[in-house]
Amino acid sequence: MRTPTRTRRRIFAPFALLTSAALLLTACGSGSDDPADASGTSAKADKIPTTDVVSGIAKDEAAAKLLPAGTKSLTVAISVGGTPPGTTYLDDGKTLTGQDVDFADAVAKVLGIELKTEQASFEAILPALDSGKYDFGASNFGVTDERRKTIDFVTYINDGQGFATRADSKLAKVTDLKQLCGLNVATGAGTTFEATLEENKKVCTAAGKKPYGIQTYSEQGAIWSSLQQGRSDVVMSTINGLRYAVAHQQGVKFLNEYHRLDVGFAFKKGTNLASAFQAAVNKLMADGTYTKILKKWGTTGSAIEKSQISPPELKN
């Protein structure tokens, strides 16, 4: 049953409905040569970074030997969110680019395999892994204990959950979800953000307050449009994505990091690909490519020391 105190909308918004500010996000990116600041966010620039940090990577025989015998190609599922450092399109409207794309391509180079890339909605990728429709997913998947029950991960960055709002909001920092009571929170469908909000919505009623509304969208542009137009009061999304977004549009502000999470390539439970992918990521770290990718996307604050296979969820 749907209660009158909770708003939940899953909206597949076409680009034509986005505000000009939201559209700007798909056309701008951090400069490929801009140094990242201490928070891992680089300065503004007028285009998506296009520096090639992948094509020169050589095959690593030791890592490649960890693949199942006869593996020559794999299918990766990627969700196109519309805003860097997440996956978006170059100016041709066809070529995918983004941090996850670069990491997937780089690992494929190390392993000496071909990648077939298929686009899918974020919420559809993890359930489809078990069926074998895709060999793995690469869409900033946070490693949680709940997901580890059915999914194996190979980590490559650390990102997590954060909040942003309009610049005129009285909110300064969200350290307790009770601060959201009575507000409408916009977030991505099928994400850890949606799960966190769903799991904790009872905190408001327990405190005698009006519950927050959860509004889910399948495109980042639609999330920001909702905030800018006043349909939502707060955005909950990735730390890196939020920092990028507020740096490239007016009238919004980053509030704070809420919960850090390791991020990894996602596989069906019991995969025989994990050890090879882990070795490949560690090879990229050793040869300097890893740092080049992070600098390209302005996310050096998300660096990890080594790749892990399905580590426990970070508790911070």
Side-chain angles (χ1 to χ4, degrees), residues 96-97 110 130 139 156 172-173 182 189-190 225-226 228 231 250 267:
L96 294 181
T97 188
V110 173
D130 190 57
S139 289
Y156 56 96
K173 191 174 184 179
S225 177
S226 175
Q228 293 276 22
R231 298 192 305 275
Q250 297 180 344
F267 306 82

Side-chain angles (χ1 to χ4, degrees), residues 7-54:
T7 302
R8 186 161 186 233
R9 291 180 285 176
R10 179 158 295 177
I11 299 177
F12 296 81
F15 284 105
L17 295 180
L18 305 185
T19 63
S20 58
L23 283 170
L24 177 63
L25 293 175
T26 66
C28 300
S30 53
S32 57
D33 297 321
D34 289 348
D37 63 21
S39 65
T41 306
S42 55
K44 294 181 182 180
D46 58 1
K47 62 180 180 179
I48 295 172
T50 56
T51 301
D52 181 2
V53 293
V54 174

Side-chain angles (χ1 to χ4, degrees), residues 87-97 119:
T87 303
T88 186
Y89 294 101
L90 290 178
D91 291 342
D92 62 9
K94 298 182 294 183
T95 305
L96 294 181
T97 188
Q119 297 179 37

Side-chain angles (χ1 to χ4, degrees), residues 3-309:
T3 63
T5 57
R6 175 171 167 262
T7 302
R8 186 161 186 233
R9 291 180 285 176
R10 179 158 295 177
I11 299 177
F12 296 81
F15 284 105
L17 295 180
L18 305 185
T19 63
S20 58
L23 283 170
L24 177 63
L25 293 175
T26 66
C28 300
S30 53
S32 57
D33 297 321
D34 289 348
D37 63 21
S39 65
T41 306
S42 55
K44 294 181 182 180
D46 58 1
K47 62 180 180 179
I48 295 172
T50 56
T51 301
D52 181 2
V53 293
V54 174
S55 64
I57 298 172
K59 179 180 179 180
D60 182 77
E61 294 296 341
K65 286 181 179 179
L66 297 175
L67 285 169
T71 303
K72 296 182 179 180
S73 66
L74 294 173
T75 299
V76 57
I78 293 181
S79 172
V80 182
T83 59
T87 303
T88 186
Y89 294 101
L90 290 178
D91 291 342
D92 62 9
K94 298 182 294 183
T95 305
L96 294 181
T97 188
Q99 182 170 253
D100 296 315
V101 173
D102 277 348
F103 272 116
D105 288 344
V107 165
K109 289 285 188 180
V110 173
L111 296 177
I113 58 175
E114 296 293 327
L115 275 190
K116 178 183 179 182
T117 301
E118 293 195 11
Q119 297 179 37
S121 62
F122 183 91
E123 64 269 31
I125 295 175
L126 296 185
L129 294 175
D130 190 57
S131 69
K133 183 176 182 179
Y134 313 118
D135 293 302
F136 70 103
S139 289
N140 206 73
F141 289 110
V143 181
T144 67
D145 290 338
E146 182 63 27
R147 283 177 172 172
R148 290 194 306 131
K149 294 176 182 178
T150 56
I151 299 292
D152 281 341
F153 294 93
V154 174
T155 62
Y156 56 96
I157 60 168
N158 175 276
D159 194 348
Q161 305 174 337
F163 291 99
T165 187
R166 289 184 296 277
D168 59 0
S169 172
K170 294 180 180 180
L171 281 173
K173 191 174 184 179
V174 178
T175 57
D176 189 321
L177 294 184
K178 287 197 294 289
Q179 293 172 258
L180 303 177
C181 296
L183 302 179
N184 285 323
V185 185
T187 195
T191 61
T192 62
F193 322 115
E194 181 184 11
T196 296
L197 293 168
E198 290 281 6
E199 291 166 7
N200 293 280
K201 61 186 179 182
K202 57 184 178 293
V203 299
C204 293
T205 53
K209 299 181 178 182
K210 180 181 178 181
Y212 49 73
I214 305 171
Q215 300 171 324
T216 59
Y217 300 83
S218 290
E219 291 179 355
Q220 286 294 311
I223 291 176
W224 290 105
S225 177
S226 175
L227 182 71
Q228 293 276 22
Q229 295 176 5
R231 298 192 305 275
S232 302
D233 303 295
V234 182
V235 169
M236 187 178 189
S237 190
T238 66
I239 294 167
N240 288 333
L242 291 174
R243 288 189 186 280
Y244 180 91
V246 300
H248 289 80
Q249 61 175 313
Q250 297 180 344
V252 294
K253 63 182 180 181
F254 179 75
L255 291 177
N256 61 287
E257 297 182 6
Y258 181 71
H259 178 39
R260 277 274 174 180
L261 288 171
D262 286 321
V263 169
F265 298 114
F267 306 82
K268 68 178 182 180
K269 195 70 175 176
T271 181
N272 54 7
L273 296 171
S275 59
F277 272 67
Q278 180 189 34
V281 174
N282 286 331
K283 174 64 176 177
L284 294 171
M285 292 177 176
D287 69 16
T289 303
Y290 182 81
T291 299
K292 290 178 181 178
I293 293 175
L294 295 183
K295 284 184 176 180
K296 173 181 177 178
W297 296 104
T299 56
T300 55
S302 285
I304 58 175
E305 293 184 0
K306 63 179 181 179
S307 177
Q308 299 182 76
I309 297 175

